[in-house]
Amino acid sequence: VQLQASGGGMVQAGGSLRLSCAASGDTFSNYVMSWFRQAPGKEREFVAGIFRSGGRTYYANSVKGRFTISRDNVRNTVTLQMDSLKPEDTAVYYCAADRGLILSSMGMWNQYDYWGQGTQVTVSS
């Protein structure tokens, strides 16, 4: 599957951004979809994930209550709505996909087979 992320940009603290990831090349509903982020000099970290049907979602504690992940299995897209953004949310954001992922592996970036190209999110104070 090929992934194309979009929607990054620059926003002031407290603002909102919406990231989208469009998938092509395979049956989208077969894939667990997640968002990760990586700030300069830091490890890539899990942000949010959603299971195949969209019924179950998971979030890093640092974004819980502020970010919302959703998917549209007809339009083959996964979206990350980011509200109440903080300067510490500044990073390159990546969407990731995997067919066989289980819950215990959702937060492990090295368990995903497919990645989008990344989109920069910058939050100024």
Side-chain angles (χ1 to χ4, degrees):
V1 67
Q2 291 80 49
L3 304 175
Q4 180 75 35
S6 61
M10 185 177 293
V11 66
Q12 288 189 330
S16 298
L17 283 173
R18 186 178 180 90
L19 305 183
S20 292
C21 179
S24 60
D26 200 352
T27 304
F28 180 67
S29 59
N30 287 340
Y31 289 82
V32 174
M33 300 297 299
S34 290
W35 288 93
F36 287 77
R37 66 187 182 186
Q38 190 166 18
K42 294 189 176 181
E43 296 270 328
R44 189 168 297 193
E45 65 173 355
F46 173 79
V47 175
I50 188 165
F51 266 78
R52 297 164 186 83
S53 67
R56 289 186 292 171
T57 58
Y58 300 89
Y59 298 92
N61 287 335
S62 58
V63 307
K64 203 171 291 184
R66 301 188 297 122
F67 291 11
T68 304
I69 189 172
S70 60
R71 67 188 294 160
D72 185 331
N73 285 346
V74 174
R75 297 182 178 181
N76 296 346
T77 57
V78 60
T79 299
L80 185 69
Q81 176 67 40
M82 305 185 294
D83 299 317
S84 302
L85 282 160
K86 303 176 181 179
E88 51 263 43
D89 294 318
T90 295
V92 177
Y93 283 70
Y94 298 90
C95 59
D98 196 85
R99 284 180 64 109
L101 202 73
I102 58 175
L103 178 59
S104 60
S105 298
M106 179 170 271
M108 302 177 187
W109 66 266
N110 59 355
Q111 298 297 305
Y112 290 77
D113 286 337
Y114 303 98
W115 290 86
Q117 83 284 11
T119 185
Q120 176 71 45
V121 171
T122 303
V123 184
S124 60
S125 56

